[in-house]
Amino acid sequence: MARNLNLSQCISEALHLEMERDPQVLVIGEDVGGQGGVFGATRGLQKKYGSGRVLDTPISESAITGMGVGLALEGYRPVLEIMFVDFIGVCLDQVYNAIAKNHYMSGGKVRMPIVIKTAGGCIGSGAQHSQCLWGLFAHLPGLKVVAPSNPYDAKGLMASAVESDDPVVFIEHKGLLLKRAEDFTFGSDVPAERYTVPIGKANVVREGSDLTLVTLSGTVAPSVTAAEEALKKGISVEVIDLRSVVPLDMDTVAASVKKTGKILVVDEDYLSFGLSAEVVTRLLERKISITSVKRLAVPDVPIPGALSLEQEVVPNERSISAAIAETVGKA
Amino acid sequence: MARNLNLSQCISEALHLEMERDPQVLVIGEDVGGQGGVFGATRGLQKKYGSGRVLDTPISESAITGMGVGLALEGYRPVLEIMFVDFIGVCLDQVYNAIAKNHYMSGGKVRMPIVIKTAGGCIGSGAQHSQCLWGLFAHLPGLKVVAPSNPYDAKGLMASAVESDDPVVFIEHKGLLLKRAEDFTFGSDVPAERYTVPIGKANVVREGSDLTLVTLSGTVAPSVTAAEEALKKGISVEVIDLRSVVPLDMDTVAASVKKTGKILVVDEDYLSFGLSAEVVTRLLERKISITSVKRLAVPDVPIPGALSLEQEVVPNERSISAAIAETVGKA
Amino acid sequence: MAQEITLKDRYGYMLWMRHFELACLEGVPTREIHGELHTGVGQEAISAGMVGFLSKEDAMCSTHRNHMHAIAKGVDLRAMLAEIFEKSTGICGGFGGHMHIFDPSLKFSATGIVGAGVPVALGHAYAARLKGNQAVAVAVVGDGAVNTGAFHEAMNMAGALSLPLVVVVENNEWAISVPFSASSATETIAERAPSWRAHGIRVNGLDVEEVANAFEAALARARSGKGPSIIEAMCYRFRGHFEGDADMYRSKEEKERRRSEDPLERTKETLVARGLATLEELNEIEKSVVASISEMLASVRKDPSPSGADATRYVFAE
Amino acid sequence: MAQEITLKDRYGYMLWMRHFELACLEGVPTREIHGELHTGVGQEAISAGMVGFLSKEDAMCSTHRNHMHAIAKGVDLRAMLAEIFEKSTGICGGFGGHMHIFDPSLKFSATGIVGAGVPVALGHAYAARLKGNQAVAVAVVGDGAVNTGAFHEAMNMAGALSLPLVVVVENNEWAISVPFSASSATETIAERAPSWRAHGIRVNGLDVEEVANAFEAALARARSGKGPSIIEAMCYRFRGHFEGDADMYRSKEEKERRRSEDPLERTKETLVARGLATLEELNEIEKSVVASISEMLASVRKDPSPSGADATRYVFAE
Ligand SMILES: Cc1ncc(C[n+]2csc(CCOP(=O)(O)OP(=O)(O)O)c2C)c(N)n1
Ligand SMILES: Cc1ncc(C[n+]2csc(CCOP(=O)(O)OP(=O)(O)O)c2C)c(N)n1
Ligand SMILES: [Mg+2]
Ligand SMILES: [Mg+2]
């Protein structure tokens, strides 16, 4: 049976199912228990599974992530919540020097089946509360990096993340977390039972022949809308939702660009040294011929406070439409 | 008068000159005072300028970087030492959420003339003591990112970093810090007086016509040697030392690739979502035609402990030579 | 300086603070403020207790809940209101937003990262040492911030170097939904002070005089080279953590009971009881504050939004 | 368990520890060990004092200076030596190196990031709570680690949840070149314990019995649900911070004086003075330890290096 669910409901449902399935699954973080998460994405878990398995912590992210390491070494599968991805700077050490590397440093002896669950993306609130940062995690070896665009995927990807023996950074877009179920144009029909969406497999959300638009997370929906608009102008846009930055499903992207010859990467993260250049370069390494390339991302500036400034730098339907037109040479 | 100096002597000389020139310059970090730095790169400073301006701190990187912010707000120009760049994970928050953004968030009202001085690169010691991470900083807006390849540049770039009104992450390669003056094949003739090397201007270390090899820091010297070897096989390699990752001097790179048509990026940092893809993509965006592209970097694995493993993943003369041959199609 | 500030003055500041916050609330349903908004309603006595002791040379580092601290430091209200309402006339030109109030002329700054302001204050305190002046650095934080690593690192260095750092902890007993009692190893924050060679005191943060006295003493200690202090001021946040917070983690009973202990009412009663003012007089003051702020808000609302064309400025200074 | 370990046994462990470190030193000039090497020579009494109290269920999280802690926990010496000598037979197949000794079967791990092991130990301690068993998590750190944010965050949570965490601080009075006295706000580390609702005790870390007694008491406290402890064991690092450290920050006089207080000599004298062993007997034990380790080293040296082809394995489990 499929129901109309929003993203936070899906995340919490996935966690319920994982905690039920596997007693080793724990949820640890600020406000995840009594409150059920500041976005409600862990609602009901503490009531059902107790305050041992669903632990509200002090504001101590180094302790949260570090204890995740110890718990993983004890055979648990901790889901660690860092409320906003912006706060990762206080505890990145445990994430990239321990969680990401312990499997390797131990010569495969230990595993770190840890989910770093966090909220990213811009919904206002300025430079320290609006970042995506998946490009940062992706640069650091040993981490899988997932960012779903819709409730269906969120539930299935979270199930995959929790059952993965690898560390997964799971970035939920705040805008999507706050979006009502009925406002999702795709992926809000969600089965009640457990299912998985594999990590590393992109989703062709919309087929097209003139241009490949690669994106993920919060910019998938506006990209689809922009693609619909573009069609009215005779431009057929294929929209690919990457679902994860690591692994990066270049097979799907390459197949599309082979067809269209044109690539536009729409990325709500910072432009440089991130996702967009990696996608483009891997296409080149695969010797895919590209006739037009464009990147639309936050232009290497912090996210400003005022809406009038924010709209200028964060990709949205308007700027995506403009970028589509530019990429196909109809700007 | 030019003397034969090694890299750590040049750094400390630059800091001596800056501290003399500007009483607002401070040096703060672990072991920078009494010991003069674990690599000697701050030697003599505390003796000359006192323990007020050259402060030995506890192992408290969040305090070090945070106090740098406060000191910058008071009009000082702090040089903050994070002993190894690998340790940045414990204090990245202050670096990217405050130091990098305060100028922007304040609407230009405050400046953050801070140097984050740190050692990077591999000289053994495994996954937590061998990283470069310039790709990580470069992804985060508001930071300049510098990594010199030789004593002359180190001295001039440090002077520029200290006098810059922007935050600069200054990454000294450990291998270079330990290299003897006489072992440098270029850049060890160093004037005694103060001079600057501008941040953002790449250096064509060696001219060539068949292939553009772009690199920086510790891999410049082996690249030059590999280029010399390649010439014996009739391959003429132009070697560009970027000197800084942000700003990225694409004018110099583009001019070269226009000539050679082939690009090889050699990067001791991790391969993906970093420097190499950014260089390649910016060339494409400039519509430079590229007939061959290759990236040689740490293949998205942590740096292993044993030398036999390390040599496999960290670019060296042998692997650079192989990459050159591959890029020109003579592998 | 402090002598000039009477209890009635402090009550006046509390009124400004309360009504400033209420003015901000108006921007939420209208989406004039499109991001999070954290107000300090109910915690006015702490900020009002800090008024009058600090000069321009003294620094203050604040938090996500910073408006009232900024008022205490003397930050221009209109420029701050304009920043919060996302106007180009804002104190940061609209680039910062409500969590990022910067006034370098007053050495006031704020951060949205819990705990991150304390090391910044440490830097100011170290600057005072270098300059050899009498300046003090004040960090204001919530109870939740005490459990961050940054707090410990900064306090330890301040203690080791005996720096002029005063940390005012607004202990409103909650860090979002997590109660203080569940997150602190100790029953009070003040008792932790000796582990950083600091002086620690817990005060009633609803009592503006108690706060003022503790603050004055801590500043004197700092200025005389005796090192850091922690003032733990007990209080209660009257509203949700941010506007829009359903605030289900605090019982209705608790909220009603605690909100009934209003620091403004308390101060008013004291003033009247001591014969320092009449009720009418105080109501008149309130009326005039309300009128001024409402005028200020109306004027701010007419200001332009920042121009999108400027959005890529100020990344680098050069 | 502890009852079975005699002082003579502990002396034997100290010998194994000392000579293990000396064997490691042999790999430095030969470049068999091509990175940094940190040894614990001079600090043996602390690790030897921990021997015998821990089961496989108890965890230990260690540091850059971890060899002797690993020996105390029972990690296989040969596999550890092979790891340090960068051999494929190493306990981590050569992937870790000397700062990254992992033995999951004994719940032993180490990190090269100062302070970072304490939150990991917190996780083990929380696992004990979840499992409801009697396990304890031990974190061993240096004096420098106490000033890191990670230490504070982990200790606070351990205190707040009353978890079975025992932190052994090897206070050798130096963090590389920075003296403990200049970096700590308090004169001792032990006195800070109450601020995390922990028990704190300072012991003479050259006295293996004093360490053993304190450790046993702290474990009992932890196992009975009374919460965390900090044991501050005073000691001195006999060699440079790492091999190659010029170690000019410590005066020659200091180094000579402190090195003359050798915990091995001390224990030996006690054993003889108490009539628990003769000098000859103890010298015989030492000879046999030296022979065993030298044999082990010779054998390890014949092991192969890891194959470069494997260098890209183990990034992901799947
Ligand atoms: C490092 C960090 N972790 C988490 C958050 C999210 N957050 C913002 S405010 C807050 C609660 C702060 O509690 P407290 O310090 O008591 O201040 P109060 O809100 O009660 O005034 C949290 C968890 C953050 N901003 N920074
Ligand atoms: C977070 C961090 N900062 C700095 C370092 C560099 N470093 C390695 S060991 C060390 C000194 C440690 O001192 P202490 O904790 O007293 O241990 P000891 O070496 O004396 O045994 C430092 C500064 C590090 N590894 N991690
Ligand atoms: Mg609070
Ligand atoms: Mg030490």
Side-chain angles (χ1 to χ4, degrees), chain D residues 249-261:
Chain D
Y249 41 83
R250 306 188 296 181
S251 74
K252 195 160 171 259
E253 183 278 321
E254 172 185 316
K255 282 188 276 194
E256 273 171 14
R257 181 170 45 80
R258 298 295 295 270
R259 278 191 205 128
S260 74
E261 298 164 21

Side-chain angles (χ1 to χ4, degrees), chain B residues 30 59 61 87, chain D residues 64-65 112 114 142-145 172 174-176 241:
Chain B
E30 296 152 22
I59 305 176
E61 284 84 0
F87 312 151
Chain D
H64 56 289
R65 204 178 299 290
V114 173
D143 48 293
N172 58 19
W174 293 88
I176 310 187
H241 174 70

Side-chain angles (χ1 to χ4, degrees), chain A residues 93, chain B residues 30-31 38 59-61 82-84 87 90 128-129, chain D residues 36 38-39 43 63-65 99 112-116 141-146 148 170-178 237 241:
Chain A
D93 175 63
Chain B
E30 296 152 22
D31 307 289
V38 289
I59 305 176
S60 303
E61 284 84 0
I82 302 299
M83 191 181 296
F84 282 19
F87 312 151
V90 300
Q128 295 180 340
H129 285 75
Chain D
E36 281 176 82
H38 314 81
T39 74
Q43 305 184 176
T63 64
H64 56 289
R65 204 178 299 290
M99 278 186 278
I113 305 299
V114 173
V141 296
D143 48 293
V146 177
T148 65
E170 299 184 311
N171 188 345
N172 58 19
E173 299 176 32
W174 293 88
I176 310 187
S177 75
V178 183
R237 135 167 88 66
H241 174 70

